[in-house]
Amino acid sequence: MQNLFQILVDAIALGSLYALVSLAIGLVFGVMRLINFAQADYITIGAYALVVPTASVSPPLLLGALPVALMIGAVVLVVTLLSLATERLAFRPMRGSDPATLLISSFAVSYFLQHLVMMVHSGRPKSVGIGNSLSAAIEFWGIRIPGTQLLTMGVTTVILVALVFFLKKTPMGIQMRAAAENFQMARLMGVKANRVIAAAFAISGIMAATVSLLLVVQTGTLDTRMGLMPVIFAFFATVIGGMGSLPGAALGGFIVGFVSVALQAFLPPDLRAFRDAFVFMLVIGFLLFRPQGLIVNRAARERV
């Protein structure tokens, strides 16, 4: 029984991370019908903002040397400004294009940012010592919970509550919900497209910065592709939950987290190295039976 509870805690922690990335993808898709794969590079750049560009192994810290509150604020500011810049320079001029063109633009931005990081920092992994005090595990009734998992679950809970409040109680949040339901009608009612889309990108940047810090605290390493796999799994989660549905994106993130941890726990040892392949197979099987996802958004036509 304790083993099952341990698996449950691990699954919630991993699902929390995927849920944050899924929500960031779902927000932008909801208002712009754009799957922004550059979200992975927002995460990577947020992590690399912590270190001096010229350092290689065990680098001295840049933003990471600041007090915790200032460090978090600085990383969030860097990634938010980056996401707003990519929206303004790369996506806004193509807003009237078809979804395939927007998708290609997303890949182009992603590859540009990825190679920019490699040019500045090189492609070698780096080690960063942030949040070492959180590596210790806390025991509850025989269940060991690392501090990093508690942090991830707590931060995700706070962000989910804040996002629900923002979307339901603030004018900008209500406008974003209206745009997600019917963008053209929302514009006719006075919703400013540039402002709503920029707000969606800004929130996605805040979430990317949060995931950056959580990944660095958990792993203690930086890699130029560190944001890639979380975004791929989060994209699967968004598809499972229902494209354009924020509750579906969060639900899908937790489902993918549960499936990943369960496979890691119950697969034979020889097959655990292929866990991700089994996750992909399950996603394909799910889409064959319910391609629209678990929660279907009423807005089914293309927008913007």
Side-chain angles (χ1 to χ4, degrees):
M1 182 62 70
Q2 287 182 349
N3 187 41
L4 290 177
F5 278 114
Q6 185 71 61
I7 293 172
L8 180 63
V9 171
D10 294 343
I12 293 175
L14 183 60
S16 297
L17 201 65
Y18 289 156
L20 286 179
V21 187
S22 300
L23 284 170
I25 294 173
L27 270 172
V28 173
F29 182 85
V31 298
M32 199 176 174
R33 281 303 195 214
L34 166 68
I35 301 171
N36 185 18
F37 283 103
Q39 190 74 27
D41 304 282
Y42 298 163
I43 294 172
T44 302
I45 290 176
Y48 271 89
L50 294 168
V51 300
V52 177
T54 56
S56 56
V57 180
S58 298
L61 301 181
L62 182 59
L63 297 182
L66 298 173
V68 174
L70 290 178
M71 177 192 70
I72 294 173
V75 171
V76 169
L77 179 62
V78 167
V79 181
T80 302
L81 291 177
L82 174 65
S83 63
L84 288 172
T86 55
E87 186 276 326
R88 181 64 182 86
L89 299 175
F91 299 126
R92 187 177 298 184
M94 299 185 180
R95 192 176 298 167
S97 304
D98 60 86
T101 303
L102 288 173
L103 184 62
I104 293 172
S105 176
S106 171
F107 280 119
V109 172
S110 177
Y111 277 105
F112 170 76
L113 294 177
Q114 184 181 124
H115 285 81
L116 181 64
V117 172
M118 293 177 63
M119 181 178 67
V120 174
H121 290 277
S122 81
R124 290 178 293 181
K126 302 176 186 290
S127 60
V128 180
I130 294 177
N132 294 329
S133 60
L134 295 170
S135 60
I138 302 172
E139 287 201 16
F140 291 102
W141 301 295
I143 302 173
R144 299 182 72 258
I145 307 176
T148 53
Q149 290 188 348
L150 288 174
L151 177 66
T152 301
M153 291 185 285
V155 168
T156 301
T157 301
V158 171
I159 290 180
L160 288 176
V161 172
L163 184 61
V164 170
F165 176 83
F166 171 79
L167 291 174
K168 291 191 174 182
K169 300 297 183 181
T170 66
M172 178 56 68
I174 294 172
Q175 291 178 29
M176 289 179 65
R177 289 169 56 201
E181 290 294 334
N182 190 320
F183 200 95
Q184 298 299 336
M185 182 60 69
R187 294 184 69 176
L188 293 175
M189 296 296 292
V191 173
K192 297 184 181 299
N194 290 343
R195 186 178 301 174
V196 169
I197 293 175
F201 271 85
I203 295 173
S204 74
I206 293 172
M207 291 184 175
T210 303
V211 174
S212 297
L213 293 170
L214 291 174
L215 285 176
V216 170
V217 169
Q218 288 179 8
T219 64
T221 59
L222 304 178
D223 187 85
T224 55
R225 293 176 175 265
M226 63 184 296
L228 181 61
M229 290 311 295
V231 167
I232 290 176
F233 280 105
F235 172 66
F236 290 157
T238 306
V239 173
I240 289 173
M243 294 299 294
S245 170
L246 294 184
L251 176 62
F254 284 105
I255 290 174
V256 172
F258 272 85
V259 170
S260 299
V261 172
L263 288 173
Q264 184 67 27
F266 296 115
L267 279 175
D270 294 341
L271 295 178
R272 288 175 185 172
F274 306 101
R275 180 197 63 180
D276 292 349
F278 283 99
V279 175
F280 299 159
M281 290 171 59
L282 289 174
V283 171
I284 292 172
F286 177 86
L287 293 179
L288 289 175
F289 292 99
R290 191 171 175 83
Q292 71 271 31
L294 293 173
I295 302 177
V296 181
N297 191 12
R298 286 180 293 176
R301 63 190 183 82
E302 305 295 342
R303 310 181 191 86
V304 190

